Amino acid sequence: MALRRRTLPSGFTLPSIHSLHPFFTHQTVPTTLAVQTEHWTRLILSYARHARLFTLGVEDADLKTGPWADILYNPEIARSVKPAHLESLIATLVAQGKAYYDPPKQTRTVLLLWRTLDEWAEVLFTWASDTGQLNTILTFYEIQEPELKSELSGIPTPLLRRAIQALIKSSRAQLIDGTEGGGVRIFASTR
Amino acid sequence: MLAWLQSVDGSIPPHALLVAEERLLATQNGVGLYDNGQKSPNHQQGTVHVTSHRLLYIDDARPELCSLALQLSTVAQSEYYNGFLTSSSKVELVLNSASTDDDDDDEGWTCAICAHENPRSLGQRRTHCALCGAVRPAKSTSAPAPANELQCTVCTFINVQGATSCEICGTPLPLPKPKSIPTQTNERQTMKISFRKGGDKAFYAVLKKALQAKAWKVTQTADLPRAEQGAGISGILNAVESNTSASTDSVASALKDLEALTAQAKSMVALASTLSAKLQQQSAQSSLSSSPSSRSSTPLSSSTPTPDATSFIQRSLYNMGLTLSEGPVVQSSDSNSSGDERRYLDELAAEVGGLLSDGLMGGRGMVGLDEIWCAWNRARGVALLAPETFIAALQKAITGRGLGLGMRTLKSGLIVLHEPRLSHASFCARLLSSTPPPFSGTVEDTQVWHTPLDVAAREDVAVALAAQLLQAAEDDGLLWRDVEPFGGVRWTRNVLKDWTWDGD
């Protein structure tokens, strides 16, 4: 395998296919397109996990310096993903349940689910129990910006709400509505 | 001696001597010319043509040297003398010598603005280009135009002849000084045409008519509206539009003719089918009537010619290219007529096979069926073939005659005839053999690009066809495409199938 894999300064290793020109062209033949799309969605999700990116928008295709530029643009071969191509990739991600449109009723911006909602719920519960914050009321801000960096640092509020909903479903949490933002109380496991 | 007449090269047929709007009206041989009452020795045996603009004398003995042309516009007066005893009848023309030295005869010229080639014309010379209306430049034979005439008085820019205001600064230009009018000589010249072989009366009548019609003035007035179209782009557009509508009209009338012809062909088919129906009826009757009477000799002789006649009619119909779509002849598909049809197809297949092996492919590897169809029909002249018949015959020729050619339908729906090397399988094999196997080198080595242009050069096919061949290979998943930033598309070996994820 002599094709060069490129390792980004951030430590992420791009697949060798990323340095092939046609990878950045929206293929027209259905079978080829299916494989190409599969690789792209995998790349997007693994990079998002690596760089802790939660949102992806069609506009990112045009940004040569944005958070997504490292994978959507390859300066070595002067190729970038076209917005229309990215939009169809986003649609595929949504169809596979790996993302959902946020805000809803548009198709240009998505929240990526590189962890499923149940996984996020589990992460939240583990974090709360590890830091000894069970049965106390936590504000969203305390979860999103803890003093010690955690898995949940920077998680967008809509995603956090959904994760809490998943915990509520297994009756391990309670949502408390407040005037400012609101909070959540996570109970010790009832299992 | 007849010096005021222009000499022409009489070895050229008179029709070729005519200019754009000139028409040949009458011709009379066996004539001689008189100059001011004297016999002109060099012009005693010749042919005279009268056109709408000129009188042409073509000498029989030395046409290239002694032939003459006379502008009818210079004729002031004409008179007719009846022949008497040995004197043959004559036509006398009184000429205005003054106007002859004017450069009436207008050589063709090319417009400096739009490069339209204005044809040579008689009568008054055109002053404006027929297409764009730009003013005609002064004759190139005269010395370069005096510069000060059109030099702008303000910015000293030297303008084109005929400009009314300066092209640079817009200052109105001084009008060029009018040419000095040549002093008119009132001297009158006469010439006579002596008709030694008769035909004088008819010829004089035509000449008289031509003189009265004054065609040289008519063309001038016909030119007027064109001059009113004005110069510039709109003038050109108007001229082009009127030309287009004229050609549309002529095409429409031609198509009308064609429709009439088709209608005739339909009635021909109808006639042929009724004929064959009658023949079949007759044969049925004759076999009925002959069988009871005598079984020895008559049945054979009376019934055998009829199928022949039927098939003859069908054959001739096929030869004319008129196929019977719903006619009873094909409907009654007895063994005879279907056999004829088969043979017809066989012969067509032989014909097209011959054409193909005679180099209709022209050394190219791949040719569209439309091209072959056109070429074949052109070769067949009037017996045109319907596309269905053509495809049927072609298929027969390919399968049955071993031409070494294949037929394939491209992605766009175009059906092409191709050499075996350009079949899908062998084309793809060759394409990939020129590409190193995937992941064997650096990125640059792995990606050998195929563009329609270099495939066309390598495989000796048209560029559009090469693009379709590449697309066919792409459809099979063998290639994938790269759209370059400026829109060009190129293909390379599709590595997706053999590639496994090697990133994080």
Side-chain angles (χ1 to χ4, degrees):
Chain A
M1 189 79 64
L3 269 183
R4 212 145 36 88
R5 291 187 296 165
R6 205 152 57 94
T7 304
L8 295 170
S10 65
F12 183 77
T13 305
L14 291 167
S16 56
I17 203 172
H18 193 262
S19 44
L20 298 182
H21 301 70
F23 192 53
F24 289 85
T25 293
H26 198 180
Q27 296 298 318
T28 53
V29 176
T31 48
T32 311
L33 179 63
V35 183
Q36 188 200 22
T37 306
E38 186 193 317
H39 291 326
W40 261 117
T41 54
R42 179 167 176 181
L43 177 60
I44 287 172
L45 287 173
S46 65
Y47 184 74
R49 184 195 300 270
H50 168 83
R52 299 190 56 78
L53 295 171
F54 292 95
T55 56
L56 173 63
V58 174
E59 290 73 23
D60 287 314
D62 292 327
L63 298 176
K64 298 274 188 278
T65 54
W68 289 98
D70 277 338
I71 63 161
L72 296 184
Y73 172 58
N74 187 345
E76 286 189 0
I77 55 172
R79 290 290 183 276
S80 63
V81 174
K82 299 284 172 291
H85 187 192
L86 185 58
E87 191 165 0
S88 81
L89 288 175
I90 285 175
T92 312
L93 283 168
V94 171
Q96 289 173 348
K98 302 272 175 59
Y100 66 90
Y101 290 120
D102 184 85
K105 290 174 186 165
Q106 50 87 40
T107 58
R108 296 184 68 80
T109 324
V110 283
L111 271 178
L112 293 169
L113 296 173
W114 34 270
R115 282 197 178 107
T116 64
L117 286 175
D118 287 339
E119 279 167 4
W120 277 119
E122 219 50 58
V123 167
L124 178 59
F125 183 81
T126 317
W127 172 77
S129 71
D130 285 358
T131 53
Q133 301 191 71
L134 291 175
N135 296 321
T136 56
I137 295 176
L138 293 163
T139 63
F140 286 173
Y141 181 79
E142 280 173 316
I143 299 171
Q144 288 165 329
E145 305 289 337
E147 282 172 24
L148 273 174
K149 263 198 171 256
S150 77
E151 289 274 308
L152 294 158
S153 294
I155 187 169
T157 312
L159 188 56
L160 181 57
R161 276 184 181 278
R162 287 200 175 205
I164 292 167
Q165 290 297 334
L167 276 183
I168 290 172
K169 224 181 267 173
S170 55
S171 50
R172 286 185 286 173
Q174 179 191 12
L175 206 58
I176 292 153
D177 283 326
T179 43
E180 280 166 35
V184 61
R185 193 207 302 261
I186 299 168
F187 307 118
S189 179
T190 54
R191 272 175 290 186
Chain B
M1 201 54 67
L2 292 170
W4 64 92
L5 296 184
Q6 292 153 335
S7 74
V8 293
D9 186 352
S11 57
I12 300 170
H15 283 281
L17 286 173
L18 305 184
V19 300
E21 60 268 35
E22 199 177 7
R23 278 172 304 115
L24 188 63
L25 298 175
T27 300
Q28 180 57 49
N29 63 351
V31 298
L33 298 187
Y34 285 67
D35 176 23
N36 285 333
Q38 303 283 313
K39 266 191 186 178
S40 173
N42 289 331
H43 310 103
Q44 283 310 309
Q45 184 62 33
T47 309
V48 69
H49 306 278
V50 61
T51 75
S52 55
H53 292 72
R54 289 185 294 176
L55 205 57
L56 299 170
Y57 170 82
I58 310 295
D59 198 62
D60 282 354
R62 289 186 294 168
E64 63 280 2
L65 290 177
C66 298
S67 299
L68 296 169
L70 170 72
Q71 305 280 342
L72 289 185
S73 58
T74 64
V75 176
Q77 199 180 321
S78 67
E79 247 174 296
Y80 175 72
Y81 298 100
N82 259 323
F84 182 67
L85 297 180
T86 58
S87 165
S88 34
S89 31
K90 290 181 183 61
V91 169
E92 187 184 43
L93 300 171
V94 182
L95 307 178
N96 252 338
S97 60
S99 62
T100 51
D101 60 359
D102 195 11
D103 53 350
D104 260 350
D105 191 15
D106 187 8
E107 293 298 316
W109 55 284
T110 305
C111 176
I113 305 295
C114 67
H116 175 69
E117 283 196 24
N118 290 285
R120 183 167 175 260
S121 70
L122 292 169
Q124 268 167 294
R125 44 182 303 208
R126 279 177 206 275
T127 52
H128 292 81
C129 171
L131 185 61
C132 69
V135 178
R136 176 184 182 173
K139 271 208 164 171
S140 55
T141 48
S142 61
N148 57 351
E149 273 193 359
L150 283 161
Q151 189 171 31
C152 175
T153 49
V154 176
C155 68
T156 71
F157 179 76
I158 298 171
N159 284 283
V160 199
Q161 281 229 337
T164 53
S165 60
C166 176
E167 215 172 310
I168 301 293
C169 63
T171 313
L173 291 172
L175 287 174
K177 286 166 207 132
K179 272 190 198 168
S180 59
I181 299 161
T183 49
Q184 279 204 331
T185 52
N186 281 335
E187 184 193 351
R188 289 210 147 186
Q189 304 259 13
T190 62
M191 74 174 269
K192 278 186 202 164
I193 307 168
S194 167
F195 291 87
R196 310 219 160 99
K197 287 187 182 168
D200 45 305
K201 277 201 177 124
F203 187 86
Y204 184 63
V206 172
L207 177 63
K208 197 88 183 154
K209 233 180 230 174
L211 283 172
Q212 278 167 356
K214 295 197 193 303
W216 52 96
K217 289 213 171 126
V218 172
T219 54
Q220 188 60 20
T221 53
D223 243 18
L224 273 179
R226 178 142 298 180
E228 279 164 13
Q229 282 172 353
I233 304 287
S234 65
I236 295 179
L237 285 179
N238 282 343
V240 168
E241 207 167 280
S242 64
N243 281 347
T244 315
S245 70
S247 54
T248 312
D249 284 352
S250 63
V251 166
S253 67
L255 283 181
K256 220 175 264 174
D257 287 353
L258 197 64
E259 273 165 20
L261 193 67
T262 322
Q264 290 292 319
K266 267 182 198 149
S267 67
M268 277 291 291
V269 174
L271 181 70
S273 18
T274 49
L275 264 177
S276 78
K278 265 185 193 163
L279 281 167
Q280 278 172 349
Q281 230 174 22
Q282 228 171 32
S283 73
Q285 277 177 0
S286 62
S287 57
L288 271 179
S289 59
S290 58
S291 46
S293 58
S294 61
R295 299 209 47 87
S296 55
S297 63
T298 37
L300 253 174
S301 56
S302 67
S303 62
T304 39
T306 36
D308 272 1
T310 320
S311 67
F312 171 73
I313 286 167
Q314 282 178 353
R315 209 170 41 244
S316 42
L317 276 177
Y318 275 132
N319 282 340
M320 289 189 299
L322 306 170
T323 42
L324 297 164
S325 49
E326 288 156 351
V329 181
V330 168
Q331 292 279 307
S332 68
S333 56
D334 56 326
S335 63
N336 208 350
S337 70
S338 69
D340 257 16
E341 199 169 358
R342 207 177 308 128
R343 208 173 48 166
Y344 169 65
L345 265 184
D346 277 343
E347 277 166 18
L348 281 182
E351 188 177 306
V352 74
L355 270 178
L356 286 171
S357 46
D358 279 356
L360 191 57
M361 302 283 285
R364 291 162 299 174
M366 186 173 270
V367 177
L369 279 204
D370 53 339
E371 203 176 311
I372 296 170
W373 185 60
C374 288
W376 191 14
N377 269 335
R378 225 173 288 134
R380 284 175 65 88
V382 290
L384 302 184
L385 283 172
E388 305 89 65
T389 325
F390 163 67
I391 289 176
L394 197 59
Q395 260 154 1
K396 207 159 200 165
I398 285 169
T399 52
R401 298 178 59 85
L403 290 168
L405 292 173
M407 198 156 40
R408 68 186 272 197
T409 309
L410 296 179
K411 202 182 177 187
S412 65
L414 177 72
I415 307 178
V416 292
L417 219 55
H418 62 87
E419 289 173 3
R421 68 181 172 91
L422 284 172
S423 73
H424 183 58
S426 62
F427 173 76
C428 289
R430 202 162 47 249
L431 202 62
L432 293 185
S433 72
S434 67
T435 314
F439 314 122
S440 65
T442 62
V443 175
E444 288 72 28
D445 291 343
T446 315
Q447 287 182 300
V448 171
W449 297 107
H450 304 288
T451 65
L453 216 57
D454 53 50
V455 169
R458 209 166 51 222
E459 302 282 345
D460 195 19
V461 293
V463 176
L465 295 177
Q468 298 215 20
L469 291 180
L470 284 170
Q471 278 173 23
E474 186 193 14
D475 282 348
D476 273 12
L478 297 169
L479 301 178
W480 60 335
R481 63 169 63 198
D482 170 39
V483 178
E484 293 173 276
F486 296 106
V489 183
R490 51 187 190 167
W491 284 266
T492 186
R493 180 198 280 264
N494 183 358
V495 298
L496 286 179
K497 266 185 291 184
D498 314 314
W499 186 81
T500 47
W501 187 264
D502 57 1
D504 273 351

